[in-house]
Amino acid sequence: MNIHIKNGRLVDPKNELDIIQDIYIADGKILAIGNKPDVFRIDRILDASHLVVCPGLVDLSVRLREPGLEYMATLESEMNAAVAGGVTSFACPPDTDPPLDEPGLVEMLKHRARNLNQAHVYPIGALTQGLLGEHLTEMAELRDAGCIVFGQPNGLLGNLRILLQAMQYASTYGLSVWLSPQDKNLAYDGVAHDGEVATRLGLPAIPVCAETVAISNIILLTSEVDVHVHLCRISSAKGLAMVRTARQQGLSMTCDVSMNHIHMSDMDIGFFDSNCHVIPPLRSISDRDALRGGLLDGTIDAICSDHAPVDEDAKLLPFAQAEIGATGVELLLPLTLKYGMEMKRPLAQVLAKITSEPAKVLGIDAGHLSPGAAADICIFDPDIYWKVTSTALLSQGKNTPFLGMEVPGKVRYTLINGNIVYES
């Protein structure tokens, strides 16, 4: 289908564009921007007047819950939710059941995702077999099956020798290692930030040092091996400062933050709101403000949804026993816009954190609107506010701490490879 998107406000952070401009799409790619090509037969016109036309969003953490955890969510439900949120590419963590530690599992997931013909799925390969931290996976075989990065999403490996070997293996093949900076021994059975709220509510706490000790170990090992490391979900001011220093010293290191942590703090737990039970935990207000500052100065490369749908009954348990995680792929755009408005930042600078910058971290050609590029596009109304309710979310998981909140930005169209996959 040849598509003409007309009169839209084109915002492309990578190409430094913020202008009212038309886009012409043919054969699944962006044919031209601005003037209509000489030979172009229009099949459909999308009027984007008063709307923003930007690259499709890139999310660094969307749990699909397949294989093995379909009672929480299915591939179909979560990919529908992704495109409804304007997300056209995303990384899928390996903590499924079984974990993504075998080529056959990765190939099956990629095949199922391709058949749905929606968002581009990039599986994160498991760093160790069964994510148990005891034996390395065959990263080269997993790479051939479709994994482009490798991670350990359930906390830092307890055996640092295994981690060092994993970094050396990844370095040999030029692969990135994605690590969750949380020391398991220090975090132990904690569920909330070690502060006044956890003390008042009697909740087991996770101290900030669980993050800083993990980051310290990662930095020391990274200085020994020529490997790129990505830190998933920075949560504290002290941890952020360590990353900033490491990058200034020349280490190849990137990091992201979840949208939950730039808007919320441990105070939002209130009276045991289990929707706020996330890992890493929501930390203090000063930590939240520091994370916002880290986005502004470029220390934090990307904002992700950290999408983790769970079974409704699992969130009805007491806070400490409730399932960990919050749904959010449909809220990535609105909550990023909300952050930008509160910080009074230019729209292009804000959108970079969910388009071009995460694409760079993931190492994919996405997040921009260059002529010749795949027509992965999000068109949204920045002036519409809508209420986050369980019925408004397409994700099978309705577990979000933002229920009842009015948020800005409503996706009108999502295009992937020139196909309109979502229209509201």
Side-chain angles (χ1 to χ4, degrees), residues 272-402:
F272 303 101
D273 182 1
S274 60
N275 284 324
C276 293
H277 186 188
V278 294
I279 297 295
L282 299 174
R283 298 207 177 273
S284 69
I285 292 176
S286 61
D287 287 314
R288 182 203 64 187
D289 293 344
L291 295 175
R292 290 183 165 208
L295 286 166
L296 294 181
D297 68 21
T299 303
I300 300 177
D301 299 271
I303 302 171
C304 73
S305 68
D306 199 21
H307 179 71
V310 303
D311 182 60
E312 185 177 358
D313 291 342
K315 280 293 185 182
L316 297 178
L317 297 171
F319 190 96
Q321 286 80 48
E323 189 79 35
I324 297 167
T327 191
V329 68
E330 294 163 82
L331 301 177
L332 179 60
L333 175 63
L335 292 177
T336 300
L337 294 176
K338 186 175 186 295
Y339 152 78
M341 293 165 64
E342 292 172 353
M343 301 299 289
K344 298 180 172 58
R345 307 312 297 171
L347 182 58
Q349 181 179 336
V350 173
L351 289 178
K353 297 299 182 181
I354 53 175
T355 56
S356 56
E357 291 300 311
K360 184 178 178 181
V361 169
L362 193 54
I364 60 174
D365 183 18
H368 61 94
L369 299 177
S370 308
D376 295 344
I377 298 173
C378 171
I379 304 175
F380 68 91
D381 189 334
D383 299 320
I384 292 287
Y385 278 75
W386 57 283
K387 180 178 285 189
V388 181
T389 63
S390 58
T391 55
L393 299 175
L394 295 186
S395 170
Q396 187 170 318
K398 311 301 181 181
N399 50 297
T400 169
F402 299 98

Side-chain angles (χ1 to χ4, degrees), residues 1 3 44 46 56 76 79-89 113-114 116-120 375-379 394 411-424:
M1 181 179 290
I3 299 175
R44 182 167 180 186
L46 299 182
E76 291 86 348
M79 292 189 74
N80 284 335
V83 296
V87 175
T88 58
S89 300
R114 276 196 302 269
L116 291 175
N117 199 30
Q118 290 188 320
H120 307 291
D376 295 344
I377 298 173
C378 171
I379 304 175
L394 295 186
V411 175
R412 292 304 186 195
Y413 302 95
T414 302
L415 285 73
I416 296 178
N417 290 330
N419 296 311
I420 302 172
V421 295
Y422 176 78
E423 181 175 355
S424 70

Side-chain angles (χ1 to χ4, degrees), residues 5-11 19-21 46-53 347 379-384 409-410 412-413:
I5 303 174
K6 69 175 186 178
N7 301 328
R9 178 187 173 188
L10 175 60
V11 181
I19 189 173
I20 304 296
Q21 199 68 277
L46 299 182
D47 187 358
S49 300
H50 310 296
L51 304 180
V52 172
V53 181
L347 182 58
I379 304 175
F380 68 91
D381 189 334
D383 299 320
I384 292 287
K410 186 67 175 176
R412 292 304 186 195
Y413 302 95

Side-chain angles (χ1 to χ4, degrees), residues 1-5 23-29 31 39-46 415 418-420:
M1 181 179 290
N2 293 349
I3 299 175
H4 174 201
I5 303 174
I23 297 181
Y24 299 89
I25 298 169
D27 298 323
K29 298 185 180 298
L31 183 63
V39 180
F40 186 80
R41 176 181 53 83
I42 299 175
D43 294 319
R44 182 167 180 186
I45 296 175
L46 299 182
L415 285 73
N419 296 311
I420 302 172

Side-chain angles (χ1 to χ4, degrees), residues 24 103 105 111 119 137 152 161 190 200 202 267 292 306 330:
Y24 299 89
L105 294 172
H111 176 72
T137 57
Q152 192 77 11
R161 187 173 187 83
R200 174 169 54 83
M267 300 295 292
R292 290 183 165 208
D306 199 21
E330 294 163 82

